[in-house]
Amino acid sequence: MSTTMIGGREVHVDEEGFLTQYDEWDEDLAKQLAALIGVDLTDRHWTAIRFLRRDYRSQGETATLRRAAQLCGIPIKELFQLFPKKPAKKMAYIAGLPKPHGCV
Amino acid sequence: MTTTAETAPARVPSFDDESTIGRKLAIICSKGNLDMAYPGLVLANAALGEGVETHLFFTFWGFDIITKARMDGLKFTVLGNTATHLPQGLGGLPGMTAMATHMMKNQIADVGVPEVPEFLDQIVASGGHLWGCRMSADMMHLSLEDLYDGVEDIISAADFIEKTDGAQLLFI
């Protein structure tokens, strides 16, 4: 498994660059990850990201956009504004999680 | 001293890959069976989640998917569908279509996929464009008021082809 340097820290990533070790993530790292993909984090972003972290820990897989919208109380339309174009993947990336695998 | 690893650019997913910029998808939904409604909706939803501009054109039996009076009542039948691996004669028995529909709806709900109207809500919230077919509307004597609120307009086939210039196309 390969590693990359994010903000002066070495982290494990997959071929695309998604973090692979749940415990290597913290909120400081999230700020660096967000900056790398051009997302300015607001409280609303944090609500989604913290939900995704909690949900992954309990479910063992990354929530799909639909699940995130339903359970963290941010409508899908707003998630598209917060994480433009590819919200599910961008949220997962900043949260240090694998891409969601669910279809819907 | 700085090592090479520290100065190398971080590996970051290419979310804004040049090849997907400007990508467009046109999906023509021409069937009104429950099992034929979902492929178009699932694929539209997936494309939108990838940042692809997505247009759906509902035509002929596919018009049922966006017709308020019918969209909640799409059905699944064993008849003519050998992929159910049931004797075809069973499909014609009274109540079989209702039972098969009920079972399929449960299976769809079990995998966390919404019913048709809610799925359309999600597609519209994700930026998808829904269009009704002019000829189907005329044949069925329906107007925009009879259709799901997220349908942008009733347009001709030629208009749809024009709107989706350069798009990849799926006919379902």
Side-chain angles (χ1 to χ4, degrees):
Chain A
M1 192 172 294
S2 58
T3 61
T4 192
M5 295 297 293
I6 307 274
R9 202 190 309 185
E10 187 173 25
V11 292
H12 289 82
V13 291
D14 66 11
E15 286 179 359
E16 286 181 80
F18 285 82
L19 266 66
T20 55
Q21 305 290 321
Y22 183 87
D23 293 326
E24 285 180 353
W25 182 95
D26 61 26
E27 297 202 348
D28 280 335
L29 188 70
K31 290 174 194 163
Q32 306 276 350
L33 296 169
L36 282 170
I37 60 167
V39 173
D40 290 327
L41 295 177
T42 65
D43 288 348
R44 293 296 269 177
H45 291 90
W46 282 113
T47 300
I49 291 163
R50 288 173 185 143
F51 162 77
L52 231 59
R53 293 287 299 179
R54 283 196 309 275
D55 192 62
Y56 184 88
R57 203 169 48 207
S58 65
Q59 301 297 314
E61 60 179 15
T62 307
T64 61
L65 195 64
R66 177 175 171 75
R67 181 174 169 84
Q70 282 183 325
L71 297 180
C72 81
I74 301 179
I76 284 191
K77 196 169 186 174
E78 188 181 347
L79 288 172
F80 268 89
Q81 287 156 0
L82 295 171
F83 305 93
K85 298 272 190 192
K86 301 183 184 181
K89 284 186 180 173
K90 286 185 175 177
M91 276 162 50
Y93 177 68
I94 297 171
L97 302 171
K99 287 187 288 193
H101 295 297
C103 278
V104 179
Chain B
M1 177 153 172
T2 315
T3 67
T4 320
E6 280 164 351
T7 52
R11 184 182 298 179
V12 181
S14 51
F15 290 118
D16 300 307
D17 194 333
E18 288 287 322
S19 64
T20 63
I21 293 172
R23 188 173 166 194
K24 251 180 171 182
L25 179 64
I27 304 178
I28 297 171
C29 299
S30 73
K31 298 285 195 327
N33 302 30
L34 183 67
D35 53 320
M36 291 306 281
Y38 274 93
L41 302 182
V42 171
L43 290 162
N45 184 63
L48 290 161
E50 287 297 302
V52 177
E53 180 184 327
T54 304
H55 296 259
L56 295 105
F57 188 60
F58 297 91
T59 184
F60 270 80
W61 313 122
F63 217 69
D64 274 11
I65 301 171
I66 52 166
T67 302
K68 282 178 189 164
R70 298 190 162 191
M71 61 198 301
D72 278 311
L74 302 187
K75 295 180 182 67
F76 168 61
T77 178
V78 169
L79 287 173
N81 187 348
T82 57
T84 59
H85 299 283
L86 292 169
Q88 285 294 295
L90 275 183
L93 296 177
M96 264 310 275
T97 296
M99 191 174 87
T101 300
H102 180 71
M103 284 173 69
M104 178 163 282
K105 282 193 168 186
N106 283 345
Q107 288 174 318
I108 290 168
D110 281 348
V111 292
V113 175
E115 296 218 12
V116 167
E118 199 186 333
F119 210 165
L120 291 175
D121 290 345
Q122 177 165 333
I123 287 168
V124 169
S126 303
H129 301 279
L130 311 179
W131 305 102
C133 161
R134 161 62 51 205
M135 180 179 159
S136 308
D138 290 348
M139 280 167 59
M140 299 174 199
H141 306 289
L142 296 171
S143 66
L144 199 53
E145 291 70 48
D146 300 308
L147 303 183
Y148 169 74
D149 290 338
V151 174
E152 292 180 36
D153 206 354
I154 295 173
I155 61 175
S156 69
D159 287 341
F160 183 72
I161 295 297
E162 195 174 62
K163 278 182 193 303
T164 55
D165 184 24
Q168 294 166 313
L169 188 136
L170 279 174
F171 180 84
I172 297 172

